[in-house]
Amino acid sequence: MTPPRKPKTKPTRRRRSSLRFVLTAGILSLLVVGVIVADGAARSAVSEQISKQVRSSLAVPVGTPVDVSVGGTSVLLQLLSGSLDRVDVGIARVSLGGLTGSAQLTASGIPLDTSKPTALARFVFVTDQTALKTLFSGVPDLSPKTIKIADGKVTLGTEVTLAGFSLPVGIEFRVSANRGQLQLTPASIIINKLSFTAEQLKASAFGSLTDALFVDHTVCIAQLLPEGFTLESVYVSDKTIQLTVSAEDVVLDGKLLSSRGSCPAA
């Protein structure tokens, strides 16, 4: 007779190890999901708070979209560190001084303590030719009656006196930023729908107007900006003009955003 076979022993240790691994993996997965959910909730809460602050500080009209994006890695980790890496705020329509348009605010190194300075804040403001009349109305000896934006240039319509008669002219300016101010450099003069360069105008019957019309102008816009912000760059597109202004190490609170800079006395 063959001896009876011994019953196989159950691999209890292996099964217990597998069970512990599955339980551990499950718990870790739940923790990861929980952290992600909590981080998403924190990001939404921070975005909502920033949106409220921006609306209040810049007097954004009710119903105007304000889009806030909190960048960087985990918002929870950023909150624990006491500062946010980057925040982007898009405002569909807002007024700065006498100008109205859309704005994009980008800030980096933002402390949670609003009494401490933000490392960098940058505004990109876009406005159209209608609002520019307010901006350029203060240019000495210019007094534009019309303003048109086209082909990367700003054309200001004004009047000059020639032989005792009032003559309508258009001055095409190239617009740039120079030491924090708008720089207007004449590119051509339009008279009776004819365009003249400086050389061409000087050689024409309107030559006496050359020196008076081909003059560079600077425009201070500090009174339209939060105090401490300076003009970085200007970009003229089809029918809009884009102004980029920035400030470093600035306390970015409601008081600052509602403040205005000042221009030196003429």
Side-chain angles (χ1 to χ4, degrees):
M1 293 180 60
T2 57
R5 294 181 180 179
K6 294 181 179 180
K8 293 182 179 181
T9 58
K10 296 181 180 180
T12 55
R13 289 183 181 179
R14 186 177 299 175
R15 289 184 181 180
R16 286 174 183 173
S17 298
S18 299
L19 182 60
R20 279 197 296 266
F21 175 77
V22 171
L23 289 174
T24 302
I27 293 171
L28 288 175
S29 298
L30 289 174
L31 288 174
V32 169
V33 172
V35 168
I36 292 174
V37 171
D39 195 73
R43 193 178 296 270
S44 297
V46 170
S47 298
E48 181 63 25
Q49 182 61 30
I50 293 173
S51 176
K52 289 179 180 178
Q53 281 186 314
V54 169
R55 285 185 179 279
S56 174
S57 301
L58 294 178
V60 178
V62 177
T64 299
V66 175
D67 298 321
V68 178
S69 173
V70 180
T73 54
S74 168
V75 171
L76 290 176
L77 292 179
Q78 292 182 59
L79 293 175
L80 289 174
S81 72
S83 66
L84 298 175
D85 295 340
R86 171 173 173 148
V87 172
D88 293 281
V89 182
I91 310 170
R93 192 169 184 82
V94 67
S95 293
L96 286 179
L99 301 179
T100 301
S102 63
Q104 180 74 30
L105 168 62
T106 299
S108 58
I110 312 109
L112 300 182
D113 183 352
T114 56
S115 66
K116 294 181 179 180
T118 292
L120 175 65
R122 177 177 285 114
F123 270 106
V124 178
F125 187 79
V126 180
T127 189
D128 59 17
Q129 56 197 33
T130 303
L132 288 184
K133 191 170 183 180
T134 301
L135 181 61
F136 294 140
S137 61
V139 180
D141 305 320
L142 200 55
S143 301
K145 294 188 175 182
T146 61
I147 294 179
K148 180 182 178 182
I149 301 176
D151 301 324
K153 300 185 187 72
V154 175
T155 302
L156 276 62
T158 187
E159 291 183 352
V160 296
T161 302
L162 181 65
F165 294 94
S166 181
L167 179 67
V169 299
I171 310 174
E172 284 188 343
F173 287 103
R174 291 190 180 91
V175 186
S176 59
N178 182 23
R179 297 181 180 180
Q181 295 188 326
L182 276 179
Q183 179 78 33
L184 304 179
T185 304
S188 60
I189 304 298
I190 301 172
I191 302 175
N192 293 331
K193 298 183 180 180
L194 297 177
S195 180
F196 298 87
T197 63
E199 294 77 11
Q200 291 169 340
L201 187 65
K202 200 165 189 176
S204 73
F206 307 106
S208 61
L209 299 175
T210 305
D211 292 339
L213 294 178
F214 278 91
V215 177
D216 289 357
H217 298 274
T218 57
V219 182
C220 175
I221 64 170
Q223 77 279 8
L224 303 176
L225 307 175
E227 189 174 0
F229 280 75
T230 57
L231 181 65
E232 255 187 29
S233 64
V234 182
Y235 176 71
V236 180
S237 62
D238 185 23
K239 293 184 179 180
T240 61
I241 184 168
Q242 175 180 294
L243 309 173
T244 300
V245 301
S246 65
E248 295 182 357
D249 297 323
V250 61
V251 178
L252 203 59
D253 58 7
K255 183 178 179 181
L256 172 75
L257 293 178
S258 60
S259 70
R260 292 292 176 266
S262 59
C263 294

PDB file of all heavy atoms in Angstrom, residues 95-130:
ATOM      1  N   SER A  95     -11.070  99.953 -16.280  1.00  0.00           N
ATOM      2  CA  SER A  95     -10.651 101.330 -16.557  1.00  0.00           C
ATOM      3  C   SER A  95      -9.410 101.666 -15.749  1.00  0.00           C
ATOM      4  O   SER A  95      -9.333 101.371 -14.551  1.00  0.00           O
ATOM      5  CB  SER A  95     -11.762 102.321 -16.211  1.00  0.00           C
ATOM      6  OG  SER A  95     -12.868 102.145 -17.083  1.00  0.00           O
ATOM      7  N   LEU A  96      -8.445 102.282 -16.422  1.00  0.00           N
ATOM      8  CA  LEU A  96      -7.260 102.809 -15.778  1.00  0.00           C
ATOM      9  C   LEU A  96      -7.169 104.277 -16.163  1.00  0.00           C
ATOM     10  O   LEU A  96      -6.904 104.612 -17.320  1.00  0.00           O
ATOM     11  CB  LEU A  96      -5.999 102.073 -16.239  1.00  0.00           C
ATOM     12  CG  LEU A  96      -5.767 100.658 -15.711  1.00  0.00           C
ATOM     13  CD1 LEU A  96      -4.491 100.085 -16.278  1.00  0.00           C
ATOM     14  CD2 LEU A  96      -5.697 100.656 -14.187  1.00  0.00           C
ATOM     15  N   GLY A  97      -7.405 105.144 -15.194  1.00  0.00           N
ATOM     16  CA  GLY A  97      -7.432 106.561 -15.531  1.00  0.00           C
ATOM     17  C   GLY A  97      -8.525 106.826 -16.546  1.00  0.00           C
ATOM     18  O   GLY A  97      -9.672 106.460 -16.363  1.00  0.00           O
ATOM     19  N   GLY A  98      -8.148 107.450 -17.673  1.00  0.00           N
ATOM     20  CA  GLY A  98      -9.118 107.738 -18.717  1.00  0.00           C
ATOM     21  C   GLY A  98      -9.184 106.675 -19.789  1.00  0.00           C
ATOM     22  O   GLY A  98      -9.894 106.834 -20.779  1.00  0.00           O
ATOM     23  N   LEU A  99      -8.442 105.584 -19.602  1.00  0.00           N
ATOM     24  CA  LEU A  99      -8.407 104.514 -20.603  1.00  0.00           C
ATOM     25  C   LEU A  99      -9.270 103.343 -20.167  1.00  0.00           C
ATOM     26  O   LEU A  99      -9.341 103.016 -18.981  1.00  0.00           O
ATOM     27  CB  LEU A  99      -6.977 104.036 -20.829  1.00  0.00           C
ATOM     28  CG  LEU A  99      -5.962 105.073 -21.305  1.00  0.00           C
ATOM     29  CD1 LEU A  99      -4.595 104.426 -21.463  1.00  0.00           C
ATOM     30  CD2 LEU A  99      -6.408 105.708 -22.613  1.00  0.00           C
ATOM     31  N   THR A 100      -9.910 102.715 -21.132  1.00  0.00           N
ATOM     32  CA  THR A 100     -10.719 101.530 -20.865  1.00  0.00           C
ATOM     33  C   THR A 100     -10.346 100.439 -21.845  1.00  0.00           C
ATOM     34  O   THR A 100     -10.192 100.690 -23.043  1.00  0.00           O
ATOM     35  CB  THR A 100     -12.223 101.846 -20.996  1.00  0.00           C
ATOM     36  OG1 THR A 100     -12.571 102.876 -20.073  1.00  0.00           O
ATOM     37  CG2 THR A 100     -13.064 100.615 -20.709  1.00  0.00           C
ATOM     38  N   GLY A 101     -10.174  99.222 -21.343  1.00  0.00           N
ATOM     39  CA  GLY A 101      -9.819  98.111 -22.217  1.00  0.00           C
ATOM     40  C   GLY A 101      -9.709  96.824 -21.420  1.00  0.00           C
ATOM     41  O   GLY A 101     -10.224  96.719 -20.301  1.00  0.00           O
ATOM     42  N   SER A 102      -9.029  95.837 -21.982  1.00  0.00           N
ATOM     43  CA  SER A 102      -8.815  94.569 -21.291  1.00  0.00           C
ATOM     44  C   SER A 102      -7.431  94.575 -20.656  1.00  0.00           C
ATOM     45  O   SER A 102      -6.548  95.324 -21.069  1.00  0.00           O
ATOM     46  CB  SER A 102      -8.932  93.397 -22.268  1.00  0.00           C
ATOM     47  OG  SER A 102      -7.924  93.483 -23.270  1.00  0.00           O
ATOM     48  N   ALA A 103      -7.258  93.745 -19.638  1.00  0.00           N
ATOM     49  CA  ALA A 103      -5.972  93.722 -18.935  1.00  0.00           C
ATOM     50  C   ALA A 103      -5.623  92.304 -18.523  1.00  0.00           C
ATOM     51  O   ALA A 103      -6.501  91.494 -18.213  1.00  0.00           O
ATOM     52  CB  ALA A 103      -6.009  94.632 -17.713  1.00  0.00           C
ATOM     53  N   GLN A 104      -4.327  92.020 -18.524  1.00  0.00           N
ATOM     54  CA  GLN A 104      -3.805  90.742 -18.049  1.00  0.00           C
ATOM     55  C   GLN A 104      -2.742  91.052 -16.996  1.00  0.00           C
ATOM     56  O   GLN A 104      -1.754  91.731 -17.274  1.00  0.00           O
ATOM     57  CB  GLN A 104      -3.182  89.944 -19.198  1.00  0.00           C
ATOM     58  CG  GLN A 104      -2.612  88.586 -18.798  1.00  0.00           C
ATOM     59  CD  GLN A 104      -3.686  87.545 -18.521  1.00  0.00           C
ATOM     60  OE1 GLN A 104      -4.760  87.601 -19.124  1.00  0.00           O
ATOM     61  NE2 GLN A 104      -3.408  86.606 -17.636  1.00  0.00           N
ATOM     62  N   LEU A 105      -2.968  90.582 -15.773  1.00  0.00           N
ATOM     63  CA  LEU A 105      -2.024  90.793 -14.690  1.00  0.00           C
ATOM     64  C   LEU A 105      -1.303  89.491 -14.396  1.00  0.00           C
ATOM     65  O   LEU A 105      -1.930  88.453 -14.207  1.00  0.00           O
ATOM     66  CB  LEU A 105      -2.745  91.283 -13.433  1.00  0.00           C
ATOM     67  CG  LEU A 105      -1.929  91.289 -12.125  1.00  0.00           C
ATOM     68  CD1 LEU A 105      -0.742  92.233 -12.231  1.00  0.00           C
ATOM     69  CD2 LEU A 105      -2.811  91.648 -10.933  1.00  0.00           C
ATOM     70  N   THR A 106       0.024  89.547 -14.369  1.00  0.00           N
ATOM     71  CA  THR A 106       0.839  88.392 -14.008  1.00  0.00           C
ATOM     72  C   THR A 106       1.731  88.794 -12.839  1.00  0.00           C
ATOM     73  O   THR A 106       2.457  89.789 -12.910  1.00  0.00           O
ATOM     74  CB  THR A 106       1.719  87.929 -15.177  1.00  0.00           C
ATOM     75  OG1 THR A 106       0.883  87.546 -16.272  1.00  0.00           O
ATOM     76  CG2 THR A 106       2.576  86.741 -14.773  1.00  0.00           C
ATOM     77  N   ALA A 107       1.653  88.027 -11.767  1.00  0.00           N
ATOM     78  CA  ALA A 107       2.477  88.303 -10.590  1.00  0.00           C
ATOM     79  C   ALA A 107       3.214  87.038 -10.192  1.00  0.00           C
ATOM     80  O   ALA A 107       2.696  85.927 -10.325  1.00  0.00           O
ATOM     81  CB  ALA A 107       1.601  88.801  -9.433  1.00  0.00           C
ATOM     82  N   SER A 108       4.443  87.208  -9.699  1.00  0.00           N
ATOM     83  CA  SER A 108       5.232  86.059  -9.256  1.00  0.00           C
ATOM     84  C   SER A 108       5.889  86.374  -7.923  1.00  0.00           C
ATOM     85  O   SER A 108       6.206  87.534  -7.632  1.00  0.00           O
ATOM     86  CB  SER A 108       6.298  85.702 -10.301  1.00  0.00           C
ATOM     87  OG  SER A 108       7.148  86.809 -10.553  1.00  0.00           O
ATOM     88  N   GLY A 109       6.076  85.323  -7.126  1.00  0.00           N
ATOM     89  CA  GLY A 109       6.628  85.518  -5.797  1.00  0.00           C
ATOM     90  C   GLY A 109       5.723  86.343  -4.912  1.00  0.00           C
ATOM     91  O   GLY A 109       6.129  87.363  -4.368  1.00  0.00           O
ATOM     92  N   ILE A 110       4.444  85.892  -4.777  1.00  0.00           N
ATOM     93  CA  ILE A 110       3.432  86.666  -4.060  1.00  0.00           C
ATOM     94  C   ILE A 110       3.314  86.162  -2.620  1.00  0.00           C
ATOM     95  O   ILE A 110       2.878  85.031  -2.393  1.00  0.00           O
ATOM     96  CB  ILE A 110       2.058  86.553  -4.749  1.00  0.00           C
ATOM     97  CG1 ILE A 110       2.179  86.783  -6.245  1.00  0.00           C
ATOM     98  CG2 ILE A 110       1.059  87.508  -4.148  1.00  0.00           C
ATOM     99  CD1 ILE A 110       1.973  85.549  -7.076  1.00  0.00           C
ATOM    100  N   PRO A 111       3.671  86.955  -1.639  1.00  0.00           N
ATOM    101  CA  PRO A 111       3.542  86.515  -0.245  1.00  0.00           C
ATOM    102  C   PRO A 111       2.080  86.512   0.201  1.00  0.00           C
ATOM    103  O   PRO A 111       1.284  87.332  -0.255  1.00  0.00           O
ATOM    104  CB  PRO A 111       4.350  87.563   0.532  1.00  0.00           C
ATOM    105  CG  PRO A 111       4.273  88.785  -0.314  1.00  0.00           C
ATOM    106  CD  PRO A 111       4.240  88.305  -1.744  1.00  0.00           C
ATOM    107  N   LEU A 112       1.742  85.593   1.082  1.00  0.00           N
ATOM    108  CA  LEU A 112       0.386  85.563   1.618  1.00  0.00           C
ATOM    109  C   LEU A 112       0.146  86.757   2.533  1.00  0.00           C
ATOM    110  O   LEU A 112      -0.977  87.232   2.656  1.00  0.00           O
ATOM    111  CB  LEU A 112       0.151  84.255   2.384  1.00  0.00           C
ATOM    112  CG  LEU A 112       0.302  82.963   1.576  1.00  0.00           C
ATOM    113  CD1 LEU A 112       0.002  81.756   2.452  1.00  0.00           C
ATOM    114  CD2 LEU A 112      -0.594  82.974   0.357  1.00  0.00           C
ATOM    115  N   ASP A 113       1.197  87.242   3.153  1.00  0.00           N
ATOM    116  CA  ASP A 113       1.119  88.447   3.975  1.00  0.00           C
ATOM    117  C   ASP A 113       1.143  89.653   3.042  1.00  0.00           C
ATOM    118  O   ASP A 113       2.177  89.991   2.454  1.00  0.00           O
ATOM    119  CB  ASP A 113       2.307  88.495   4.937  1.00  0.00           C
ATOM    120  CG  ASP A 113       2.255  89.696   5.881  1.00  0.00           C
ATOM    121  OD1 ASP A 113       1.385  90.574   5.680  1.00  0.00           O
ATOM    122  OD2 ASP A 113       3.076  89.742   6.815  1.00  0.00           O
ATOM    123  N   THR A 114      -0.009  90.314   2.873  1.00  0.00           N
ATOM    124  CA  THR A 114      -0.116  91.406   1.896  1.00  0.00           C
ATOM    125  C   THR A 114       0.693  92.642   2.274  1.00  0.00           C
ATOM    126  O   THR A 114       0.794  93.579   1.486  1.00  0.00           O
ATOM    127  CB  THR A 114      -1.595  91.814   1.709  1.00  0.00           C
ATOM    128  OG1 THR A 114      -2.144  92.163   2.987  1.00  0.00           O
ATOM    129  CG2 THR A 114      -2.392  90.679   1.093  1.00  0.00           C
ATOM    130  N   SER A 115       1.262  92.654   3.470  1.00  0.00           N
ATOM    131  CA  SER A 115       2.107  93.789   3.845  1.00  0.00           C
ATOM    132  C   SER A 115       3.529  93.626   3.317  1.00  0.00           C
ATOM    133  O   SER A 115       4.334  94.556   3.388  1.00  0.00           O
ATOM    134  CB  SER A 115       2.141  93.943   5.371  1.00  0.00           C
ATOM    135  OG  SER A 115       2.793  92.834   5.976  1.00  0.00           O
ATOM    136  N   LYS A 116       3.826  92.438   2.783  1.00  0.00           N
ATOM    137  CA  LYS A 116       5.161  92.171   2.243  1.00  0.00           C
ATOM    138  C   LYS A 116       5.146  92.327   0.717  1.00  0.00           C
ATOM    139  O   LYS A 116       4.113  92.143   0.079  1.00  0.00           O
ATOM    140  CB  LYS A 116       5.613  90.759   2.631  1.00  0.00           C
ATOM    141  CG  LYS A 116       5.818  90.585   4.127  1.00  0.00           C
ATOM    142  CD  LYS A 116       6.284  89.175   4.453  1.00  0.00           C
ATOM    143  CE  LYS A 116       6.507  89.021   5.955  1.00  0.00           C
ATOM    144  NZ  LYS A 116       6.961  87.642   6.314  1.00  0.00           N
ATOM    145  N   PRO A 117       6.286  92.665   0.119  1.00  0.00           N
ATOM    146  CA  PRO A 117       6.321  92.944  -1.326  1.00  0.00           C
ATOM    147  C   PRO A 117       6.258  91.695  -2.199  1.00  0.00           C
ATOM    148  O   PRO A 117       6.779  90.639  -1.841  1.00  0.00           O
ATOM    149  CB  PRO A 117       7.649  93.676  -1.509  1.00  0.00           C
ATOM    150  CG  PRO A 117       8.506  93.176  -0.390  1.00  0.00           C
ATOM    151  CD  PRO A 117       7.586  92.946   0.762  1.00  0.00           C
ATOM    152  N   THR A 118       5.609  91.854  -3.345  1.00  0.00           N
ATOM    153  CA  THR A 118       5.591  90.837  -4.399  1.00  0.00           C
ATOM    154  C   THR A 118       6.826  91.033  -5.266  1.00  0.00           C
ATOM    155  O   THR A 118       7.203  92.168  -5.586  1.00  0.00           O
ATOM    156  CB  THR A 118       4.318  90.981  -5.252  1.00  0.00           C
ATOM    157  OG1 THR A 118       3.187  90.620  -4.453  1.00  0.00           O
ATOM    158  CG2 THR A 118       4.364  90.077  -6.475  1.00  0.00           C
ATOM    159  N   ALA A 119       7.463  89.929  -5.652  1.00  0.00           N
ATOM    160  CA  ALA A 119       8.727  90.020  -6.398  1.00  0.00           C
ATOM    161  C   ALA A 119       8.556  90.750  -7.729  1.00  0.00           C
ATOM    162  O   ALA A 119       9.345  91.634  -8.076  1.00  0.00           O
ATOM    163  CB  ALA A 119       9.297  88.622  -6.639  1.00  0.00           C
ATOM    164  N   LEU A 120       7.509  90.403  -8.491  1.00  0.00           N
ATOM    165  CA  LEU A 120       7.290  91.037  -9.798  1.00  0.00           C
ATOM    166  C   LEU A 120       5.806  91.042 -10.124  1.00  0.00           C
ATOM    167  O   LEU A 120       5.117  90.038  -9.962  1.00  0.00           O
ATOM    168  CB  LEU A 120       8.054  90.286 -10.903  1.00  0.00           C
ATOM    169  CG  LEU A 120       7.830  90.761 -12.337  1.00  0.00           C
ATOM    170  CD1 LEU A 120       8.365  92.177 -12.518  1.00  0.00           C
ATOM    171  CD2 LEU A 120       8.494  89.820 -13.339  1.00  0.00           C
ATOM    172  N   ALA A 121       5.325  92.186 -10.579  1.00  0.00           N
ATOM    173  CA  ALA A 121       3.940  92.312 -11.045  1.00  0.00           C
ATOM    174  C   ALA A 121       3.963  92.998 -12.403  1.00  0.00           C
ATOM    175  O   ALA A 121       4.639  94.012 -12.584  1.00  0.00           O
ATOM    176  CB  ALA A 121       3.106  93.125 -10.055  1.00  0.00           C
ATOM    177  N   ARG A 122       3.220  92.435 -13.344  1.00  0.00           N
ATOM    178  CA  ARG A 122       3.220  92.980 -14.709  1.00  0.00           C
ATOM    179  C   ARG A 122       1.782  93.053 -15.237  1.00  0.00           C
ATOM    180  O   ARG A 122       1.040  92.081 -15.175  1.00  0.00           O
ATOM    181  CB  ARG A 122       4.085  92.131 -15.619  1.00  0.00           C
ATOM    182  CG  ARG A 122       4.085  92.580 -17.074  1.00  0.00           C
ATOM    183  CD  ARG A 122       5.032  91.742 -17.937  1.00  0.00           C
ATOM    184  NE  ARG A 122       6.417  92.113 -17.688  1.00  0.00           N
ATOM    185  CZ  ARG A 122       7.327  91.313 -17.134  1.00  0.00           C
ATOM    186  NH1 ARG A 122       6.968  90.082 -16.745  1.00  0.00           N
ATOM    187  NH2 ARG A 122       8.565  91.711 -16.943  1.00  0.00           N
ATOM    188  N   PHE A 123       1.409  94.214 -15.766  1.00  0.00           N
ATOM    189  CA  PHE A 123       0.122  94.429 -16.410  1.00  0.00           C
ATOM    190  C   PHE A 123       0.329  94.525 -17.916  1.00  0.00           C
ATOM    191  O   PHE A 123       1.236  95.233 -18.378  1.00  0.00           O
ATOM    192  CB  PHE A 123      -0.518  95.751 -15.955  1.00  0.00           C
ATOM    193  CG  PHE A 123      -1.400  95.642 -14.745  1.00  0.00           C
ATOM    194  CD1 PHE A 123      -0.970  96.107 -13.528  1.00  0.00           C
ATOM    195  CD2 PHE A 123      -2.673  95.094 -14.849  1.00  0.00           C
ATOM    196  CE1 PHE A 123      -1.782  96.036 -12.405  1.00  0.00           C
ATOM    197  CE2 PHE A 123      -3.489  95.012 -13.733  1.00  0.00           C
ATOM    198  CZ  PHE A 123      -3.048  95.478 -12.512  1.00  0.00           C
ATOM    199  N   VAL A 124      -0.514  93.842 -18.683  1.00  0.00           N
ATOM    200  CA  VAL A 124      -0.585  94.053 -20.132  1.00  0.00           C
ATOM    201  C   VAL A 124      -1.976  94.608 -20.408  1.00  0.00           C
ATOM    202  O   VAL A 124      -2.976  93.906 -20.262  1.00  0.00           O
ATOM    203  CB  VAL A 124      -0.351  92.749 -20.918  1.00  0.00           C
ATOM    204  CG1 VAL A 124      -0.479  93.013 -22.417  1.00  0.00           C
ATOM    205  CG2 VAL A 124       1.030  92.175 -20.606  1.00  0.00           C
ATOM    206  N   PHE A 125      -2.027  95.882 -20.791  1.00  0.00           N
ATOM    207  CA  PHE A 125      -3.293  96.588 -20.981  1.00  0.00           C
ATOM    208  C   PHE A 125      -3.513  96.851 -22.465  1.00  0.00           C
ATOM    209  O   PHE A 125      -2.612  97.338 -23.151  1.00  0.00           O
ATOM    210  CB  PHE A 125      -3.267  97.909 -20.213  1.00  0.00           C
ATOM    211  CG  PHE A 125      -4.573  98.644 -20.200  1.00  0.00           C
ATOM    212  CD1 PHE A 125      -5.598  98.272 -19.350  1.00  0.00           C
ATOM    213  CD2 PHE A 125      -4.787  99.716 -21.053  1.00  0.00           C
ATOM    214  CE1 PHE A 125      -6.810  98.947 -19.338  1.00  0.00           C
ATOM    215  CE2 PHE A 125      -5.989 100.405 -21.042  1.00  0.00           C
ATOM    216  CZ  PHE A 125      -7.004 100.008 -20.188  1.00  0.00           C
ATOM    217  N   VAL A 126      -4.699  96.501 -22.963  1.00  0.00           N
ATOM    218  CA  VAL A 126      -5.021  96.665 -24.379  1.00  0.00           C
ATOM    219  C   VAL A 126      -6.208  97.601 -24.519  1.00  0.00           C
ATOM    220  O   VAL A 126      -7.265  97.364 -23.927  1.00  0.00           O
ATOM    221  CB  VAL A 126      -5.338  95.304 -25.048  1.00  0.00           C
ATOM    222  CG1 VAL A 126      -5.660  95.507 -26.524  1.00  0.00           C
ATOM    223  CG2 VAL A 126      -4.165  94.350 -24.891  1.00  0.00           C
ATOM    224  N   THR A 127      -6.045  98.670 -25.284  1.00  0.00           N
ATOM    225  CA  THR A 127      -7.122  99.626 -25.493  1.00  0.00           C
ATOM    226  C   THR A 127      -7.225  99.971 -26.974  1.00  0.00           C
ATOM    227  O   THR A 127      -6.353  99.597 -27.770  1.00  0.00           O
ATOM    228  CB  THR A 127      -6.904 100.897 -24.652  1.00  0.00           C
ATOM    229  OG1 THR A 127      -8.069 101.710 -24.708  1.00  0.00           O
ATOM    230  CG2 THR A 127      -5.707 101.697 -25.165  1.00  0.00           C
ATOM    231  N   ASP A 128      -8.293 100.679 -27.350  1.00  0.00           N
ATOM    232  CA  ASP A 128      -8.518 100.974 -28.767  1.00  0.00           C
ATOM    233  C   ASP A 128      -8.308 102.452 -29.048  1.00  0.00           C
ATOM    234  O   ASP A 128      -7.947 103.240 -28.174  1.00  0.00           O
ATOM    235  CB  ASP A 128      -9.922 100.526 -29.199  1.00  0.00           C
ATOM    236  CG  ASP A 128     -11.025 101.216 -28.383  1.00  0.00           C
ATOM    237  OD1 ASP A 128     -10.735 102.247 -27.742  1.00  0.00           O
ATOM    238  OD2 ASP A 128     -12.157 100.725 -28.391  1.00  0.00           O
ATOM    239  N   GLN A 129      -8.561 102.848 -30.304  1.00  0.00           N
ATOM    240  CA  GLN A 129      -8.274 104.206 -30.728  1.00  0.00           C
ATOM    241  C   GLN A 129      -9.199 105.245 -30.087  1.00  0.00           C
ATOM    242  O   GLN A 129      -8.826 106.404 -29.928  1.00  0.00           O
ATOM    243  CB  GLN A 129      -8.352 104.302 -32.249  1.00  0.00           C
ATOM    244  CG  GLN A 129      -9.673 103.844 -32.842  1.00  0.00           C
ATOM    245  CD  GLN A 129      -9.549 103.567 -34.325  1.00  0.00           C
ATOM    246  OE1 GLN A 129      -8.506 103.122 -34.796  1.00  0.00           O
ATOM    247  NE2 GLN A 129     -10.607 103.841 -35.075  1.00  0.00           N
ATOM    248  N   THR A 130     -10.401 104.820 -29.672  1.00  0.00           N
ATOM    249  CA  THR A 130     -11.314 105.770 -29.034  1.00  0.00           C
ATOM    250  C   THR A 130     -10.736 106.275 -27.714  1.00  0.00           C
ATOM    251  O   THR A 130     -10.745 107.477 -27.423  1.00  0.00           O
ATOM    252  CB  THR A 130     -12.682 105.112 -28.782  1.00  0.00           C
ATOM    253  OG1 THR A 130     -13.211 104.635 -30.026  1.00  0.00           O
ATOM    254  CG2 THR A 130     -13.648 106.102 -28.182  1.00  0.00           C
TER     255      THR A 130
END
